[in-house]
């Protein structure tokens, strides 16, 4: 869950905020109804109200959104901003919005329930012909030479290799893992190839699920390529946008898809890339084919996050849709807690009711009840 300070850092990202501020000034007209989806501490709500919105509905699961009431009051905008500290999936409104503003992305737009939340808000909360800000993101890819990634991977096996042990299995596993360029080490000088778009996300039609695409890259200078860098370029509204690519400093980090083995590349060689990812951003697969100037395939590497962490046959079986599960002891207890949450008992009474059947300490049991209340209670 983001802290109030991290919302401050998002609001301080000049490139992002300039585009959003200009988009809001253009899309919101006096009298507009606006939904700020995932408002945080509400920078986009405040800008929409300042642009003349008649009403702004700000919604966020993070209680930090409650601070927006005070922020709106101190900016004399309190009468026009209505704050809801709940999931947007549970938000019902008395009127449809003319504009929905959001930034539910992580380092890429492929982030948790982003697409599901946009689809739900678009279908339930936006008037026909209403405006979505952002409008479109384009997923980009380029081949890079990241010395930081090499150092990180080397360090992660150094404990084995220094003692004369091989760690190939662990190294292969790590190469099937997606990394974030957290320290923003990646700059334009690390790019070895042209960049290209591998997928387009139009928020007017985007659906949760698999996003996939391919791109043809041309090597621009020789080097030792060790990853594909993925980022996004966005159109927030009406030609206004920004890039989060290498060399563009922003709150978004680049995503690195490592190569299984670094590849020596030379200018004018070509790289064919295919990327497949779930819109939640938790599962990725990527294939990289390097073709030399004569058209001969020099290398082909197929990778997937599925191979990044060993999976036991038992775990695979349990994940199958044909698996017939039974409840364990915790499941039984949660079922009893949920059954006791019938609107007639206090939290302590529910814990009392369940405590007879468990050796769990009172505090731990109360935490379990509170957790069930926050997830499934009303
Ligand atoms: C990246 S922050 C954006 C904050 C702010 N709108 C901005 O642009 O600076 C995304 C926000 O979406 C919120 N969020 C995630 N899932 C949500 C949901 N189901 N309903 C409402 N908000 C949600 C998160 O808590 C987080 O505050």
């Amino acid at each position: 869950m983001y802290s109030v300070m991290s919302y401050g850092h998002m609001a301080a990202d000049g490139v992002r905020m300039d585009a959003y501020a200009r988009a809001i000034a253009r899309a919101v007209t006096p009298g507009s109804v606006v939904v700020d989806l995932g408002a945080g501490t509400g920078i986009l709500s405040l800008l929409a109200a300042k642009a003349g919105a008649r009403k702004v509905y700000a919604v966020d699961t993070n209680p930090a959104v409650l601070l927006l009431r005070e922020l709106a009051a101190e900016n004399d905008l309190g009468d026009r901003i209505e704050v809801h500290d709940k999931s947007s999936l549970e938000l019902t409104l008395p009127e449809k919005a003319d504009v929905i503003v959001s930034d539910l992305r992580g380092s890429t737009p492929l982030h948790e329930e982003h697409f599901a939340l946009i689809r739900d808000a678009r279908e339930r909360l936006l008037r026909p012909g209403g405006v979505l800000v952002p409008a479109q993101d384009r997923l980009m890819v380029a081949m890079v030479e990241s010395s930081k990634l090499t150092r990180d991977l080397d360090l992660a096996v150094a404990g084995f290799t220094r003692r004369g042990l091989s760690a190939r299995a662990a190294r292969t596993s790590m190469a099937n893992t997606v990394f974030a360029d957290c320290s923003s080490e990646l700059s334009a000088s690390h790019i070895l190839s042209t960049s290209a778009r591998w997928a387009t996300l139009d928020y007017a039609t985007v659906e949760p699920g698999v996003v996939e695409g391919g791109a043809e890259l041309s090597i621009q200078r020789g080097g030792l390529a060790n990853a594909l860098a993925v980022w996004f370029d966005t159109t927030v509204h009406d030609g206004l946008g920004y890039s989060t690519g290498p060399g563009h400093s922003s709150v978004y980090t680049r995503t690195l898809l490592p190569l299984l083995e670094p590849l020596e590349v030379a200018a004018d060689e070509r790289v064919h890339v295919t990327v497949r990812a779930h819109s939640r951003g938790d599962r990725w697969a990527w294939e990289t084919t390097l073709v030399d100037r004569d058209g001969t395939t020099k290398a082909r590497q197929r990778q997937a996050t599925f191979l990044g962490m060993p999976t036991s046959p038992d775990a695979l079986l349990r994940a199958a849709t044909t698996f017939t599960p039974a409840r364990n002891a915790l499941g039984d207890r949660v079922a009893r807690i949920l059954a006791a949450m019938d609107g007639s008992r206090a939290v302590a009474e529910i814990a009392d009711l369940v405590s007879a059947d468990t050796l769990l300490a009172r505090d731990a049991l109360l935490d379990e009840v509170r957790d069930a209340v926050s997830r499934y209670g009303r």
Side-chain angles (χ1 to χ4, degrees):
M1 193 179 279
Y2 292 116
S3 65
V4 172
M5 185 179 258
S6 52
Y7 288 120
H9 291 156
M10 292 176 210
D13 180 335
V15 172
R16 181 183 88 103
M17 285 310 304
D18 282 352
Y20 268 91
R22 291 173 67 197
I24 288 170
R26 218 177 269 181
V28 175
T29 50
S32 293
V33 174
V34 178
V35 169
D36 183 358
L37 189 63
T41 46
I43 181 70
L44 305 182
S45 295
L46 295 166
L47 292 174
K50 272 186 81 169
R54 172 172 61 76
K55 193 82 181 176
V56 181
Y57 297 98
V59 61
D60 203 299
T61 42
N62 188 330
V65 73
L66 296 172
L67 209 56
L68 178 56
R69 293 199 181 121
E70 287 176 56
L71 292 169
E74 73 185 70
N75 287 286
D76 295 326
L77 299 167
D79 54 333
R80 282 185 285 138
I81 300 181
E82 192 174 298
V83 176
H84 296 266
D85 60 327
K86 55 164 67 165
S87 169
S88 62
L89 298 173
E90 292 159 16
L91 181 71
T92 51
L93 294 177
E95 57 190 334
K96 298 275 188 195
D98 302 296
V99 181
I100 294 181
V101 290
S102 70
D103 185 352
L104 295 161
R105 311 173 184 101
S107 55
T108 78
L110 308 179
H111 185 65
E112 299 177 354
E113 299 312 314
H114 180 189
F115 289 15
L117 297 176
I118 292 284
R119 177 180 64 180
D120 170 71
R122 182 180 75 207
E123 289 177 358
R124 286 191 314 110
L125 307 176
L126 189 66
R127 74 162 164 76
V131 175
L132 285 167
V133 175
Q136 185 193 76
D137 288 341
R138 295 167 294 284
L139 293 168
M140 308 295 292
V141 63
M143 191 161 245
V144 297
E145 176 176 46
S146 164
S147 45
K148 167 92 168 46
L149 178 66
T150 303
R151 280 198 307 278
D152 286 350
L153 292 174
D154 286 350
L155 185 65
V157 293
F160 294 78
T161 51
R162 269 191 218 128
R163 286 166 179 77
L165 297 165
S166 166
R168 206 173 46 246
R171 177 73 180 68
T172 303
S173 204
M174 286 184 260
N176 283 287
T177 306
V178 171
F179 293 87
D181 171 36
C182 290
S183 51
S184 290
E185 178 254 4
L186 212 60
S187 69
S189 67
H190 294 96
I191 301 183
L192 296 174
S193 72
T194 50
S195 61
R197 173 200 312 214
W198 62 272
T200 302
L201 310 170
D202 281 313
Y203 288 108
T205 53
V206 85
E207 296 281 334
V210 169
V211 175
E212 62 184 317
E216 293 293 331
L217 310 176
S218 167
I219 299 295
Q220 300 295 287
R221 69 170 177 87
L224 191 62
N226 64 346
L228 301 171
V230 168
W231 67 90
F232 68 95
D233 292 350
T234 181
T235 300
V236 277
H237 178 63
D238 199 15
L240 297 165
Y242 52 90
S243 173
T244 67
H248 297 262
S249 129
S250 70
V251 286
Y252 313 98
T253 54
R254 264 65 46 197
T255 295
L256 287 175
L257 310 178
L259 297 182
L260 213 44
E261 296 295 339
L263 290 175
E264 212 46 85
V265 296
D268 295 335
E269 288 182 333
R270 300 199 63 78
V271 184
H272 178 69
V273 175
T274 57
V275 185
R276 187 179 158 86
H278 194 277
S279 58
R280 277 195 303 269
D282 55 348
R283 279 179 273 152
W284 292 72
W286 58 106
E287 182 174 323
T288 316
T289 308
L290 178 64
V291 179
D292 72 13
R293 292 174 193 132
D294 303 328
T296 310
T297 298
K298 273 175 71 178
R300 172 170 294 146
Q301 302 186 1
R302 288 196 183 101
Q303 288 155 269
T305 48
F306 176 72
L307 303 170
M309 184 57 80
T311 313
S312 70
D314 187 47
L316 279 178
L317 278 176
R318 290 159 65 90
T321 51
T322 47
F323 181 65
T324 47
R327 282 199 303 257
N328 60 17
L330 172 61
D332 281 341
R333 199 160 61 239
V334 172
R336 285 201 299 280
I337 291 171
L338 291 177
M341 281 169 50
D342 60 1
S344 72
R345 295 180 185 86
V347 166
E349 290 173 301
I350 297 173
D352 287 344
L353 203 70
V354 177
S355 66
D357 307 317
T358 174
L359 295 174
L360 207 63
R362 172 89 181 158
D363 281 355
L365 187 55
L366 276 170
D367 281 347
E368 255 179 37
V369 176
R370 287 194 192 100
D371 185 51
V373 171
S374 81
R375 282 170 195 269
Y376 311 113
R378 60 180 159 81

